[in-house]
Amino acid sequence: MTDNEIDTNSEEFMDSKKEMDKLVYESIKEKEVKPNAIFAKLSDLTRSMPVTKDVVNWARVNSMWPLQFGLACCAIELMDFGSSRIDAERKGYLLFRGTPRQCDVMIIAGWVTKSMVPEIKRLYEQMSKPRYVVAFGECATCGGPWWESYNIIKGIDEVLPVDVFVAGCPPRPENLFAALMKLQKKVGGNVEG
Amino acid sequence: MTVTRINVGPVHPSTHGVIRLVVDLEGDTIVNVEPHIGFLHRGVEKLAESRMYMQIPPYMEKLDYVAPMSYNEAYVATVETAMGIQVSERSQYIRVILLELQRIASHLLSLGTLCNDIGQTFTAFMWAFKDRDIVLDLLQEATGSRMFYVNMRLGGLREDLPADFSEHTLNTMDYLEKRIPEYVAYLEKNPIFTERMKGIGVITRDEAKQLGVTGPVLRASGVNYDVRRSNAYYVYSKLHFTPKSLQDGDNFSRYKVRILEIQESVRLVKSALKALPEGNAKGMQVKLRSPNPVNRISVVNRELPKGECMMYMVADPQKPYRLSIRSPSFINLAAINHMAKGERFADLFGILGTLDIIMGCVDR
């Protein structure tokens, strides 16, 4: 038996299952479903199950939803990344969401001005955990050509924890594809070429 | 009725770039729109004062990142005027070809994002980006880069055109000539599209003149003004360029003017390729020390895809003393309040889409 399999005959598992059954049975008996209680118990159950962890991770890795959020030039390449030539949807990247609450990845595409920092921070905090940040392009990585400018911060890593840096001014859309594959590997997926 | 104040942006899927709009609504009708800008300000004009002349083009390209080459060319032309450098005829033709290709790419992007904003989701966006990629491939073939080119040199270009470029471009132009009517049929036969475009966001001829808007926004309001004809630079007069204008001044005519301009650009590229003379197209190599300027003050105006750009430069030896840029997007944005007053809130994004502003160009 490997670590990833669950011993369904174990005492621990049977106890948990019994508790679940009891909850469901009670809700049927009282003619009032208590989804919150059931889900809370379910998540307690799944947290201890290696198989379910793998399933959750598999789903997470294969549905990296980026936030629809562009700052400057690199955002044009971000749009191109979403269009037909690259076909990013085949890896599950391409569900650009308008609200940060549904997103996993934040792609910082462009230079970050001092007046944008509080907005970016707020968006990042609105994203549900686990959340990842990709610094796309020179400006988001280190300030780029604006390193002497009075209004640009020298890299988004001064503000947020960054998972993947992408070099280039602007990087090609293929580079973003490679960066997201790198991020998938980091999250724990076994991604093939 | 009470007035509700709504905040849009600075990060919103339909604002291209980062712009904040404070909208006052009466029910669903817009009373007032107040744009708040400056989220992308990085001080290009100030930075230019501390750079050598030929270190500046990469900064100029990042002003309008949808049509970078146009700004690059406008800046290089300003320096050429300051230094009294002549551009060879072959270079003039090649510059016109590349600039018109850039205009096609810019208008296609504007078309794609506009359709995305008004709910014509994704088909037109995918089409426009596919065709834009094909045009970008040509530019990549000619300059070696996909988005930022920096290929203009004093008196010419960095490289002459590659051998197969002419054939590839003619093929692509033939393809686009067939392709544009498909866009028109797909969009204009669709009642959702026409309902949301016709009669929405009207700006009259007089208002447009008073606000100083330029480019397709002005030409859609019935003013037939185009720098390529009124102040014909390079070989535009030889290529028999005619500006396109429409009368209504609504969303639909702004979209239609861009379609007509794509077709005109296709024609210009074709005729310029046919008339392309032999000769030297290479400009001066980039050296840290450039020739000393002969004119203290030089002014150049150019027709960019977004409108008229004017560059004003006071030249010192080796560095500009002052570089001032009249960016078309910034002045076109001022018209949004006049266009959106009295329209429904949902149409604000159609208006923003047809204005086709680039925030890098607005904030500078």
Side-chain angles (χ1 to χ4, degrees):
Chain A
M1 182 182 277
T2 62
D3 291 347
N4 286 348
E5 283 173 34
I6 279 191
D7 183 6
T8 45
N9 296 322
S10 74
E11 220 167 88
E12 193 190 349
F13 184 82
M14 291 310 284
D15 285 352
S16 304
K17 198 166 177 295
K18 268 176 200 163
E19 278 181 44
M20 271 292 295
D21 289 349
K22 201 180 153 195
L23 265 172
V24 174
Y25 175 73
E26 274 174 7
S27 62
I28 293 168
K29 197 175 150 195
E30 289 166 17
K31 291 185 179 173
E32 187 199 344
V33 185
K34 290 172 185 162
N36 286 348
I38 294 176
F39 280 135
K41 189 67 208 163
L42 192 65
S43 65
D44 278 357
L45 255 178
T46 52
R47 213 161 283 154
S48 61
M49 287 186 194
V51 167
T52 339
K53 263 186 196 166
D54 277 5
V55 170
V56 169
N57 216 20
W58 166 82
R60 181 173 291 152
V61 161
N62 286 298
S63 62
M64 287 276 174
W65 290 3
L67 177 61
Q68 187 173 7
F69 163 61
L71 286 168
C73 338
C74 294
I76 305 294
E77 295 296 65
L78 197 64
M79 282 149 96
D80 216 279
F81 173 73
S83 73
S84 52
R85 182 179 280 191
I86 304 295
D87 190 16
E89 198 143 17
R90 66 197 142 116
K91 284 280 182 189
Y93 305 142
L94 190 66
L95 217 59
F96 280 105
R97 307 307 292 176
T99 161
R101 289 171 185 83
Q102 302 170 343
C103 296
D104 309 298
V105 193
M106 188 183 208
I107 300 165
I108 308 287
W111 53 80
V112 184
T113 57
K114 283 174 184 164
S115 47
M116 252 341 260
V117 168
E119 309 291 338
I120 292 176
K121 265 188 185 165
R122 183 189 297 171
L123 284 173
Y124 179 74
E125 274 151 22
Q126 281 175 348
M127 282 164 72
S128 54
K129 287 175 188 170
R131 52 204 173 185
Y132 309 100
V133 177
V134 175
F136 187 58
E138 292 295 329
C139 302
T141 306
C142 62
W146 316 109
W147 58 276
E148 256 186 359
S149 171
Y150 49 79
N151 201 29
I152 306 286
I153 64 162
K154 293 171 185 59
I156 189 66
D157 55 335
E158 287 182 7
V159 186
L160 304 178
V162 180
D163 294 278
V164 184
F165 292 96
V166 189
C169 187
R172 294 177 68 90
E174 293 92 322
N175 287 15
L176 183 54
F177 206 95
L180 284 177
M181 276 168 67
K182 230 170 221 176
L183 183 61
Q184 283 182 317
K185 267 182 195 158
K186 187 180 172 183
V187 174
N190 190 16
V191 186
E192 287 168 11
Chain B
M1 202 182 262
T2 51
V3 174
T4 321
R5 177 163 281 194
I6 286 185
N7 176 56
V8 181
V11 178
H12 184 274
S14 290
T15 55
H16 309 161
V18 264
I19 177 180
R20 178 170 167 235
L21 299 169
V22 177
V23 190
D24 289 342
L25 293 172
E26 214 171 64
D28 196 15
T29 313
I30 296 170
V31 185
N32 192 30
V33 183
E34 199 179 316
H36 289 235
I37 60 169
F39 291 99
L40 285 184
H41 175 71
R42 58 230 184 259
V44 179
E45 293 177 9
K46 191 68 194 165
L47 273 175
E49 288 167 21
S50 59
R51 296 285 187 275
M52 315 291 273
Y53 280 115
M54 288 319 276
Q55 284 180 318
I56 296 172
Y59 291 91
M60 291 296 124
E61 294 216 322
K62 280 152 195 88
L63 283 169
D64 179 353
Y65 33 78
V66 174
M69 201 187 283
S70 336
Y71 256 115
N72 186 9
E73 192 273 332
Y75 170 73
V76 172
T78 316
V79 180
E80 278 163 359
T81 319
M83 294 176 182
I85 296 171
Q86 295 297 318
V87 185
S88 72
E89 205 188 354
R90 185 175 167 84
S91 309
Q92 292 191 15
Y93 271 92
I94 296 175
R95 280 188 184 185
V96 166
I97 291 165
L98 296 179
L99 289 176
E100 291 306 317
L101 286 177
Q102 186 72 86
R103 192 181 308 274
I104 296 170
S106 168
H107 282 349
L108 279 173
L109 185 132
S110 138
L111 179 65
T113 51
L114 163 71
C115 294
N116 223 4
D117 288 349
I118 62 164
Q120 198 72 9
T121 320
F122 261 26
T123 305
F125 176 82
M126 289 289 178
W127 284 11
F129 269 76
K130 183 184 151 233
D131 291 344
R132 177 177 172 268
D133 265 346
I134 294 170
V135 178
L136 288 192
D137 281 351
L138 289 177
L139 288 170
Q140 188 181 334
E141 199 182 325
T143 64
S145 174
R146 186 186 140 79
M147 198 163 149
F148 291 138
Y149 312 102
V150 204
N151 67 325
M152 301 289 172
R153 295 287 181 265
L154 296 179
L157 295 119
R158 185 179 58 204
E159 292 280 326
D160 205 333
L161 292 178
D164 296 339
F165 180 79
S166 173
E167 189 194 331
H168 291 172
T169 312
L170 284 175
N171 288 344
T172 309
M173 292 302 115
D174 286 341
Y175 164 76
L176 276 180
E177 261 180 0
K178 280 185 213 131
R179 185 74 170 151
I180 296 303
E182 278 182 45
Y183 282 93
V184 174
Y186 169 68
L187 292 172
E188 290 177 20
K189 282 181 189 168
N190 185 341
I192 300 173
F193 184 79
T194 45
E195 283 284 310
R196 295 203 63 179
M197 301 292 274
K198 277 188 179 160
I200 307 275
V202 178
I203 182 165
T204 59
R205 188 189 157 94
D206 290 339
E207 264 182 337
K209 274 184 176 173
Q210 280 163 13
L211 287 165
V213 297
T214 44
V217 183
L218 179 68
R219 287 193 287 279
S221 296
V223 185
N224 202 351
Y225 173 74
D226 193 314
V227 185
R228 285 175 287 172
R229 192 179 65 173
S230 69
N231 188 9
Y233 47 96
Y234 297 150
V235 290
Y236 278 111
S237 53
K238 283 184 201 167
L239 296 172
H240 307 294
F241 168 72
T242 47
K244 303 284 181 233
S245 69
L246 291 173
Q247 299 302 320
D248 295 342
D250 57 353
N251 273 355
F252 188 81
S253 29
R254 285 194 282 280
Y255 138 82
K256 191 75 183 170
V257 160
R258 293 208 174 86
I259 290 278
L260 293 174
E261 277 191 17
I262 292 175
Q263 287 171 333
E264 180 69 14
S265 293
V266 167
R267 196 190 65 73
L268 277 175
V269 170
K270 273 184 159 183
S271 50
L273 271 175
K274 271 172 201 151
L276 188 63
E278 293 295 315
N280 182 25
K282 277 203 177 180
M284 292 164 64
Q285 272 190 322
V286 172
K287 291 175 188 162
L288 208 52
R289 289 193 72 79
S290 48
N292 277 341
V294 288
N295 300 321
R296 174 83 171 146
I297 291 171
S298 46
V299 183
V300 156
N301 56 347
R302 287 286 187 263
E303 184 73 27
L304 305 191
K306 309 284 179 297
E308 182 183 355
C309 153
M310 191 174 284
M311 288 223 183
Y312 171 90
M313 191 171 77
V314 183
D316 265 358
Q318 306 306 328
K319 274 184 200 173
Y321 172 77
R322 173 85 172 92
L323 180 70
S324 176
I325 302 158
R326 179 215 193 266
S327 78
S329 295
F330 176 67
I331 289 156
N332 288 0
L333 179 61
I336 191 166
N337 197 7
H338 295 253
M339 288 173 180
K341 247 180 215 169
E343 305 293 352
R344 312 290 291 275
F345 181 60
D347 289 328
L348 180 63
F349 302 108
I351 292 166
L352 205 62
T354 51
L355 263 180
D356 193 20
I357 47 166
I358 294 297
M359 293 317 294
C361 181
V362 174
D363 293 338
R364 294 201 290 278

